[in-house]
Amino acid sequence: MTATLPTTLLDPVRDGLARMIMTKVAGPDPRAERNRVHNTPGPRWFAPDRPIRRVHGDASMFAGGLRALLLQSLHPLAMAAVSAHSGYRGDPWGRLQRTSFFLAITTYGAESDAEAAIAKVKSVHERVRGTSPDGTPYRAGDPHLLKWVHLAEIDSFLAAHQRYGANPLDAAEQDGYVADTARVAQALGVIEPPTTMVELRQMLDAYRPELRGTTEARQAARFILIHPPVPLAARPAYGVLTAAAVGLLPFWSRWPLRLPYLPLAEQTVVRAAGDGLTRTIRWALTSPILGNVDISTA
């Protein structure tokens, strides 16, 4: 359609999509948020050519973020903390906006702002503690839990980027991405985060014996995949996005969450639909009304 219709006819469609997406991700004034992240003077943690900037600025992050939530839920203590303290059911868009801002400010923002965001998250973590349904105590600031959340997140962002990103990373750049994210993880309190893909894979495997599909994890998966707070008009597109996210999960994670594993469909229909949706999101976010806002610059 974009090759045959005049651009001026498509502009209202693109503008509408851009507004719908960015008000959910960044709040009511995404241009102001972008200005805050990008135009605050001062040194940055990551140079413009670093892989973390490419990954976190691509539309594939939407599928990666959903995959990360599903994968993270398999750790019973991490899921217990999320279920009891995150408010993901009552305020899912607020949680999304806070997460998006954190990724943006630590990836693109001034060092002083990134450090302030880190300090704020650590302060919140200090207050998040409790006991899981099986009686095991947890605290969000536990370096072991922090590492699991970090591993699941960067593995998901990278998996989505390699499948749906505009410019997938080569092997050296993938190692560079893992090393970049280690800087943020260490600042949050993760002890010895991975700095290469080999280390990332080894550490993920080391957590496998701790993972299982709890009632809370399956409830979260149903909320994310089946009962999300998404307008009816956006449900078909959201369905494609969730199918793409599930299709990126490792096969061993499906049954604990009661998710299907359909490799043929995932490699054909789901992949084609996910690629088309990601391209559409990427096109929408070039709308002039946003000032070319990267999806992570919330």
Side-chain angles (χ1 to χ4, degrees):
M1 183 171 69
T2 57
T4 58
L5 289 178
T7 302
T8 53
L9 294 180
L10 293 174
D11 283 346
V13 176
R14 181 174 60 174
D15 293 348
L17 283 172
R19 286 193 185 93
M20 180 180 69
I21 293 167
M22 290 309 298
T23 54
K24 295 298 186 184
V25 174
D29 194 351
R31 294 192 71 160
E33 291 298 290
R34 184 184 193 279
N35 182 66
R36 177 183 176 187
V37 170
H38 286 277
N39 296 332
T40 298
R44 267 62 180 163
W45 278 355
F46 305 106
D49 62 345
R50 292 305 303 167
I52 192 172
R53 285 182 166 239
R54 193 195 310 178
V55 174
H56 291 179
D58 191 85
S60 59
M61 286 283 284
F62 285 96
L66 288 174
R67 181 194 191 266
L69 293 175
L70 293 168
L71 189 59
Q72 287 166 350
S73 74
L74 287 174
H75 196 292
L77 297 185
M79 188 61 237
V82 168
S83 181
H85 300 277
S86 76
Y88 77 90
R89 289 179 181 274
D91 185 25
W93 298 119
R95 186 182 183 218
L96 173 63
Q97 289 163 17
R98 291 189 292 272
T99 301
S100 179
F101 176 78
F102 180 83
L103 287 169
I105 205 70
T106 53
T107 302
Y108 306 100
E111 284 185 4
S112 58
D113 287 341
E115 289 165 356
I118 291 284
K120 183 175 181 179
V121 170
K122 291 175 77 171
S123 176
V124 171
H125 283 171
E126 284 300 311
R127 301 192 297 271
V128 175
R129 55 186 67 216
T131 305
S132 70
D134 68 359
T136 305
Y138 65 79
R139 58 185 182 89
D142 177 359
H144 187 69
L145 282 185
L146 287 174
K147 180 178 280 190
W148 164 248
V149 171
H150 172 68
L151 296 176
E153 183 174 88
I154 65 169
D155 184 64
S156 295
F157 292 161
L158 193 53
H161 189 81
Q162 294 305 98
R163 176 74 59 86
Y164 296 115
N167 296 292
L169 308 182
D170 63 26
E173 289 169 333
Q174 291 178 60
D175 282 344
Y177 174 72
V178 177
D180 287 346
T181 62
R183 180 170 187 175
V184 180
Q186 285 176 320
L188 278 172
V190 177
I191 298 173
E192 297 183 350
T195 58
T196 67
M197 287 296 296
V198 170
E199 291 177 355
L200 174 60
R201 295 283 174 258
Q202 290 172 341
M203 292 181 190
L204 282 167
D205 287 344
Y207 274 87
R208 287 278 299 276
E210 302 177 35
L211 308 181
R212 64 178 185 272
T214 61
T215 299
E216 292 78 15
R218 289 189 286 271
Q219 288 174 343
R222 284 196 294 273
F223 178 78
I224 292 169
L225 302 176
I226 302 173
H227 304 295
V230 175
L232 287 176
R235 287 293 178 92
Y238 185 81
V240 171
L241 188 64
T242 57
V246 171
L248 292 167
L249 284 167
F251 77 92
W252 55 263
S253 69
R254 309 298 183 88
W255 174 246
L257 294 174
R258 303 300 188 262
L259 300 176
Y261 179 54
L262 305 169
L264 180 59
E266 289 170 9
Q267 290 297 320
T268 54
V269 177
V270 172
R271 185 163 186 166
D275 184 64
L277 179 62
T278 306
R279 289 174 182 270
T280 300
I281 295 171
R282 193 177 293 121
W283 167 74
L285 297 184
T286 62
S287 169
I289 67 166
L290 299 178
N292 294 323
V293 177
D294 290 334
I295 64 97
S296 60
T297 54

